[in-house]
Amino acid sequence: METTKEPQPQECHICKRKQKCVSATKWCRDCSEAFCDNCCEVHSLIKSLMRHKVVEIASIPTNECGIDLSTISDACPVHSSKVVEAYCFDHQQLCCVLCVTLKHRKCEDVQAIEDITSKTDDKNSFEANLTKIQAATENLLQEQKDEKAILNKSLSTIESTVIDSVNAAKSKLDSLLVVFLKEFKIIEDKTQGDLDSKLNLVEKLLNRIKDFVRITTFIRSYGSKTQLFIHLEKSEKEFNSEIENAVALLRQVGGVEASFLIENSLQNLMEMQNLGEIHVKEKCSKSVTEYEGILSDNMSLPAGKMFDSIQLIKRKFVQNSGFWNGGMCISDQIMVLGSSSRLIVTDILTGKIKTEFALPQDAKRIAYATENQTLYISCYSNYFYSVKFDQSFGQKTELKNASPYNGGVNIHQHNLYMVVGKEIMKMNLNQGSGLKAAFPTDTDCTNLNGLTIDHKKDRLIHTTKDFAVVCTSLDGKPIFSFKDDAMKTVTSLTINSIGLIFAGDETGIVHLISTDGKQRRTLLDKCENITKLCDIWLDKSEKTLFICGNEFVEIYDIKY
């Protein structure tokens, strides 16, 4: 419906069909048509129309809602001289008789508007559904406002906590500095006094030696030999005694050297790069999910991005020496690839290797924990490693090297999940505990397999030994299992935030599986350069899909 600031005169619909322009004075609510006085009189004489509710157009409060009924025209949008009499549901178009005859003869669902409007349920269903959606939207708006208020309160609390903590730390450091300076002054006075005593003793000894030398020189020049002998004999005993006493006192004082051992906490403080990290975690709101369900139920609208609309558009490929079994994006600029006994960091834009790291075994799958900046790599020969990674590689730690074989690995809420043999194993990254069995699976890790996590719905999705895609809860409760004839050897998986699953087939096919596990369609029927597809993953924005295999990484833009 269109609105206008100034009301336009409503034309009589019957006169208009006669190619006449006459202002209407009456409105039939049942016919949804306007009549002039003459046509209204004819309308009231027809037996089947006598019970229709007719009102004065002047009495309709158009100014309150700003609706001008004249803009709701029943003229055919294609043939202006004809009125709309039917609706084609196949093309979702209003039709006149000519339209039906010329353009919609082969359409399967064309109904007369009179038949459509005679169905009370259909006539009112849209308004009823719209009322439900309005109420749901109002609730959603209020919940979003509440969420914003909670977020603002949380951010305010974080700010106050950090400021209070820093001020408290400053106050504590100031008080510790006062105590330290007092202790420092006491130690300084004591050590300075000891050193002054030592200096005085040495100075006295030096003066005594100078006096002895001066007196001896005088006696040797002017005295007799007997006097010189007596002087030397007497002075030698006295002088030896004084030197022995001086040396004994000097040994008691000893050498003094000052040093300071800084407290570890203070050292850590000086080495701090920041006060901490602010984590704003996006989560799937239950209210939004419920709202999407209401839209889907009442408006026949798909929740989230449409399963049938996603397409892959080839952007480019990156080629490096080696055979790439797995990879992932660390950021928007770099990706980490695992191959024969090494990890490499590659610039996504240029494809150039930035740095690399040697591994004792061939890498299979890679996961990255942002919190502790650590890569977790499952390998052939049963080995499983963690490698510190910031801008460059750091310390390597061996986490597992015993049977059975390892497979897909992924991280969710500080927990690492990995396919190991015929079960899913779990490791808490905060506690530093080892791998522990979570639940059994129908898997085989002698070769490549896939594991991904739906972070919003807390679901694990993994491939099986017969290349089916299985979805379970985090504790192993089955949700769905999907496989059809088009899925030959699916060994790699990734999922977007909507819950749509991208499955990579070793044959080079990329499948898309719906979030409920009931539908599958082929996104890519063949890779351009890769003959054996080994792994697939999404970037952080979920707008780009990466496919690796052989010595290539093919990059595709995702069009929703």
Side-chain angles (χ1 to χ4, degrees):
M1 294 184 293
E2 297 180 4
T3 62
T4 178
K5 293 182 179 180
E6 297 183 2
Q8 301 294 325
Q10 173 66 56
E11 294 182 15
C12 174
H13 285 93
I14 294 178
C15 292
K16 188 175 182 180
R17 286 194 280 271
K18 297 177 181 179
Q19 307 299 318
K20 296 179 181 180
C21 182
V22 180
S23 296
T25 57
K26 305 290 193 298
W27 178 264
C28 178
R29 295 190 183 278
D30 295 286
C31 295
S32 295
E33 287 198 339
F35 304 118
C36 62
D37 291 337
N38 293 332
C39 292
C40 184
E41 185 176 350
V42 175
H43 172 273
S44 63
L45 294 175
I46 299 173
K47 188 175 181 180
S48 61
L49 305 178
M50 291 175 64
R51 295 180 179 272
H52 283 196
K53 189 173 182 179
V54 179
V55 296
E56 295 283 343
I57 289 179
S59 67
I60 301 175
T62 55
N63 291 332
E64 293 181 6
C65 56
I67 297 172
D68 180 10
L69 293 174
S70 65
T71 61
I72 308 175
S73 173
D74 63 352
C76 176
V78 179
H79 307 97
S80 58
S81 62
K82 301 294 181 180
V83 296
V84 171
E85 296 183 31
Y87 185 78
C88 176
F89 285 90
D90 292 350
H91 294 93
Q92 295 186 348
Q93 289 181 351
L94 293 166
C95 310
C96 66
V97 175
L98 284 178
C99 290
V100 173
T101 304
L102 299 175
K103 295 185 177 180
H104 301 278
R105 286 181 301 165
K106 296 182 180 180
C107 295
E108 295 181 357
D109 194 1
V110 179
Q111 298 183 32
I113 290 180
E114 183 178 349
D115 294 338
I116 297 172
T117 56
S118 65
K119 300 175 184 178
T120 306
D121 292 340
D122 291 344
K123 188 176 180 181
N124 298 327
S125 61
F126 175 72
E127 294 175 75
N129 291 340
L130 205 59
T131 302
K132 293 178 183 178
I133 291 171
Q134 178 183 344
T137 305
E138 290 172 351
N139 292 335
L140 180 66
L141 177 61
Q142 185 58 49
E143 289 176 3
Q144 296 298 313
K145 289 180 179 179
D146 294 341
E147 285 187 9
K148 181 180 179 182
I150 293 171
L151 176 62
N152 290 338
K153 185 177 180 181
S154 299
L155 293 174
S156 179
T157 301
I158 291 172
E159 182 181 26
S160 300
T161 300
V162 172
I163 292 173
D164 292 345
S165 298
V166 171
N167 289 335
K170 288 179 180 178
S171 178
K172 182 66 175 177
L173 286 173
D174 289 340
S175 62
L176 289 175
L177 180 60
V178 171
V179 173
F180 173 80
L181 291 176
K182 288 180 179 178
E183 294 178 354
F184 180 80
K185 185 63 176 175
I186 293 171
I187 294 173
E188 182 183 38
D189 292 343
K190 183 179 182 306
T191 52
Q192 291 290 353
D194 293 341
L195 285 173
D196 289 341
S197 299
K198 186 176 180 180
L199 289 173
N200 290 334
L201 180 63
V202 175
E203 286 177 354
K204 287 180 181 180
L205 180 62
L206 179 59
N207 291 332
R208 186 75 178 87
I209 293 172
K210 289 181 178 179
D211 287 343
F212 175 76
V213 172
R214 180 176 55 78
I215 294 171
T216 301
T217 302
F218 178 80
I219 295 173
R220 185 183 298 278
S221 300
Y222 301 103
S224 64
K225 291 182 179 180
T226 301
Q227 287 177 319
L228 179 61
F229 175 79
I230 294 171
H231 164 72
L232 291 174
E233 183 65 24
K234 182 178 179 181
S235 298
E236 183 178 0
K237 293 179 181 180
E238 293 177 359
F239 194 68
N240 287 340
S241 177
E242 289 182 14
I243 290 178
E244 288 177 0
N245 291 334
V247 171
L249 290 173
L250 289 174
R251 285 175 179 169
Q252 291 178 5
V253 175
V256 179
E257 181 180 350
S259 63
F260 176 66
L261 181 60
I262 192 169
E263 177 68 28
N264 289 337
S265 299
L266 185 57
Q267 181 65 37
N268 293 336
L269 179 64
M270 291 189 295
E271 293 176 357
M272 282 176 56
Q273 300 297 318
N274 53 57
L275 292 175
E277 295 183 3
I278 300 174
H279 294 283
V280 179
K281 182 180 179 182
E282 295 184 3
K283 59 182 181 179
C284 183
S285 173
K286 183 180 179 181
S287 60
V288 174
T289 304
E290 292 174 350
Y291 184 70
E292 289 178 346
I294 292 172
L295 290 180
S296 180
D297 294 340
N298 294 284
M299 297 295 289
S300 300
L301 296 175
K305 294 180 173 64
M306 293 180 62
F307 172 76
D308 295 327
S309 66
I310 295 180
Q311 298 177 4
L312 295 182
I313 301 173
K314 179 69 179 294
R315 187 200 301 176
K316 66 174 184 177
F317 69 88
V318 175
Q319 183 177 12
N320 285 311
S321 60
F323 194 101
W324 309 114
N325 294 318
M328 70 168 300
C329 291
I330 296 293
S331 67
D332 294 333
Q333 291 80 34
I334 61 172
M335 60 182 171
V336 176
L337 301 173
S339 71
S340 303
S341 301
R342 64 175 177 150
L343 297 175
I344 68 165
V345 175
T346 303
D347 187 293
I348 295 174
L349 184 62
T350 64
K352 294 182 179 179
I353 296 177
K354 298 172 70 70
T355 183
E356 59 183 277
F357 181 81
L359 281 176
Q361 282 77 31
D362 294 350
K364 272 188 175 180
R365 295 287 184 247
I366 304 170
Y368 182 66
T370 307
E371 292 81 1
N372 60 4
Q373 295 181 319
T374 301
L375 289 163
Y376 294 90
I377 308 103
S378 65
C379 300
Y380 288 93
S381 305
N382 309 327
Y383 281 85
F384 180 46
Y385 296 100
S386 68
V387 179
K388 283 288 184 181
F389 179 83
D390 183 4
Q391 296 299 319
S392 59
F393 290 104
Q395 181 181 359
K396 171 177 66 67
T397 302
E398 183 180 296
L399 300 175
K400 175 183 175 295
N401 63 0
S403 294
Y405 290 106
N406 311 319
V409 59
N410 216 299
I411 294 171
H412 176 63
Q413 293 181 350
H414 310 294
N415 288 308
L416 181 142
Y417 294 86
M418 185 167 70
V419 184
V420 181
K422 295 184 177 182
E423 61 185 353
I424 298 290
M425 300 195 79
K426 177 181 176 181
M427 182 172 69
N428 189 302
L429 300 180
N430 289 340
Q431 297 176 359
S433 58
L435 287 164
K436 297 179 181 179
F439 57 89
T441 60
D442 186 19
T443 54
D444 179 8
C445 295
T446 55
N447 208 325
L448 294 173
N449 54 33
L451 173 68
T452 189
I453 297 178
D454 187 341
H455 298 287
K456 288 188 176 180
K457 296 183 179 179
D458 292 332
R459 305 188 303 174
L460 287 170
I461 299 98
H462 64 274
T463 58
T464 65
K465 63 182 179 183
D466 62 348
F467 308 112
V469 175
V470 173
C471 177
T472 71
S473 63
L474 295 178
D475 56 1
K477 294 178 181 177
I479 297 176
F480 68 77
S481 177
F482 183 86
K483 188 179 190 305
D484 65 13
D485 294 339
M487 298 164 61
K488 304 299 182 183
T489 51
V490 175
T491 58
S492 56
L493 300 170
T494 188
I495 190 169
N496 65 9
S497 57
I498 306 167
L500 296 176
I501 303 163
F502 298 78
D505 203 304
E506 280 190 358
T507 58
I509 301 173
V510 176
H511 311 273
L512 184 68
I513 300 173
S514 61
T515 184
D516 58 4
K518 295 180 179 179
Q519 300 180 72
R520 183 211 66 84
R521 54 181 286 255
T522 300
L523 278 183
L524 185 69
D525 55 11
K526 185 180 180 182
C527 292
E528 184 173 317
N529 299 288
I530 296 171
T531 57
K532 182 180 179 182
L533 190 156
C534 292
D535 199 9
I536 60 174
W537 65 92
L538 295 167
D539 67 345
K540 302 295 182 182
S541 68
E542 299 183 353
K543 294 180 180 179
T544 307
L545 181 71
F546 295 78
I547 305 173
C548 79
N550 306 103
E551 69 269 27
F552 299 98
V553 177
E554 295 186 8
I555 303 175
Y556 292 81
D557 291 324
I558 303 175
K559 182 180 179 181
Y560 290 97

